[in-house]
Amino acid sequence: MYKMIAIDLDGTLFTDELTISPNTVTAIQKAIEMGTVVTIATGRMFSSAQLIAQQLGIHAPLITYQGAMIKSAGKADAMYERSVSPGIAEKLIGIAREKNIHLQVYQDDILYGAEETEKLVVYAEAVQVPYAIEPDLIGLAQKGFTKLLFIDEPDVLDLLQKELQSLFGESAYIEKSKKNYLEVTHPEANKGSALLFLANMLGINRSEIIGIGDNHNDFELLKAAGFGIAMGNAVQAVKDIADYTTLTNNDEGVLHAFDKFILEPENAVATTEGSEEHAQLGRKKL
């Protein structure tokens, strides 16, 4: 019934320790062997997502940068890309400086920071990507950015998000991907729009797509998919619009979803036996 499944990474496919269980890897590979298109839909940059895709045996185009870029491994050019305009990018850089909030930017799949800070180093190590230092971010902004990422305490970013939404309205997509991550992309760059673009390219109907996620930036992903699955650890807003709520990211929630909706029962991995009682149905999408 389902020909395509798009999976978020952090808080979804990854445990809190940034690992993926061997059983989950096996389930994904079985689904691919059955002909299911499995892709990643993440806020991470392409080079980071590509590393995970290679480990999982995923060869489909990847949805990255919150949907601002769709690209296939081995291809020089992206098949879909939406960038934040130079004007908005400059204003965001100014706001970050004024408020002394860490800001890092992405251009040509390179992570840039104005200086080497602890937040930049920790982030780069976590997602396993290199970074470059460019003190003149304003100059760099003239080409536009694929994404800008603010990193700070949740309460600081909550206030910043409201301020940015008031300033830019529908001229930018501003959403949290984690409690301490606030991301800014082009207004057309969200996981839902990118998912439907990719599905159309592959000739797959919306009703044949599953989307799995956990955070606010996965809201559009679940709404765009024909069947949206929220993780057990998902924020309430995502659970509210999901068709189904699976187990948490630390309890192999993605594996449970694959076993239940993609793989044949006889092929289900034994570790999920008895997990049904822990999963709960979410409310149908409005």
Side-chain angles (χ1 to χ4, degrees):
M1 179 178 178
Y2 296 107
K3 296 182 179 179
M4 181 178 180
I5 183 163
I7 317 166
D8 170 53
L9 290 181
D10 296 285
T12 300
L13 185 60
F14 283 134
T15 65
D16 291 347
E17 287 73 40
L18 299 180
T19 62
I20 306 172
S21 77
N23 286 336
T24 300
V25 174
T26 298
I28 290 173
Q29 292 173 344
K30 283 183 179 180
I32 294 172
E33 290 171 3
M34 290 168 53
T36 306
V37 176
V38 179
T39 188
I40 289 169
T42 180
R44 293 192 183 200
M45 57 198 298
F46 175 77
S47 56
S48 176
Q50 182 179 224
L51 292 174
I52 308 306
Q54 290 172 342
Q55 295 170 17
L56 296 172
I58 293 175
H59 302 291
L62 307 178
I63 298 170
T64 59
Y65 292 105
Q66 305 296 11
M69 178 188 289
I70 302 176
K71 189 176 179 181
S72 295
K75 301 291 184 180
D77 299 320
M79 59 182 64
Y80 175 98
E81 188 168 9
R82 300 288 185 273
S83 298
V84 177
S85 70
I88 292 179
E90 288 182 25
K91 291 177 182 177
L92 291 169
I93 293 168
I95 290 171
R97 289 175 177 172
E98 177 187 341
K99 297 181 179 294
N100 194 31
I101 297 176
H102 173 80
L103 175 67
Q104 55 194 49
V105 300
Y106 303 76
Q107 186 181 90
D108 298 328
D109 208 38
I110 298 173
L111 166 61
Y112 290 96
E115 58 182 325
E116 190 172 62
T117 64
E118 181 181 1
K119 288 184 174 67
L120 178 62
V121 172
V122 170
Y123 176 91
E125 289 178 349
V127 300
Q128 300 180 14
V129 297
Y131 58 87
I133 301 302
E134 175 50 72
D136 184 19
L137 291 185
I138 293 291
L140 203 63
Q142 301 316 303
K143 286 180 58 180
F145 294 130
T146 312
K147 185 179 78 171
L148 299 93
L149 171 61
F150 293 90
I151 302 178
D152 211 307
E153 294 303 313
D155 56 341
V156 173
L157 295 183
D158 287 341
L159 292 174
L160 179 62
Q161 182 175 13
K162 292 179 181 178
E163 180 180 343
L164 297 184
Q165 288 173 337
S166 174
L167 285 172
F168 301 114
E170 298 181 356
S171 298
Y173 179 75
I174 305 160
E175 191 56 86
K176 277 191 168 185
S177 57
K178 287 187 175 182
K179 291 181 179 180
N180 57 331
Y181 289 0
L182 180 63
E183 314 208 355
V184 182
T185 56
H186 185 280
E188 295 177 6
N190 65 71
K191 294 182 182 183
S193 297
L195 176 67
L196 295 180
F197 180 92
L198 178 57
N200 184 62
M201 283 193 60
L202 300 176
I204 296 175
N205 190 279
R206 176 177 176 272
S207 64
E208 300 171 318
I209 307 171
I210 290 177
I212 309 178
D214 73 298
N215 220 318
H216 296 287
N217 62 323
D218 296 311
F219 189 91
E220 287 85 358
L221 174 69
L222 269 65
K223 288 198 71 173
F227 193 79
I229 299 178
M231 299 299 292
N233 53 289
V235 296
Q236 192 60 46
V238 170
K239 288 182 178 180
D240 287 346
I241 57 98
D243 297 293
Y244 184 82
T245 299
T246 185
L247 308 181
T248 72
N249 62 319
N250 292 324
D251 294 316
E252 299 184 315
V254 170
L255 172 62
H256 174 78
F258 268 76
D259 283 344
K260 185 172 181 64
F261 299 108
I262 301 293
L263 303 177
E264 294 295 330
E266 58 266 29
N267 292 331
V269 180
T271 55
T272 61
E273 291 180 1
S275 62
E276 175 67 21
E277 62 195 61
H278 299 293
Q280 50 187 317
L281 287 173
R283 283 193 277 171
K284 296 294 289 183
K285 289 180 284 188
L286 301 178

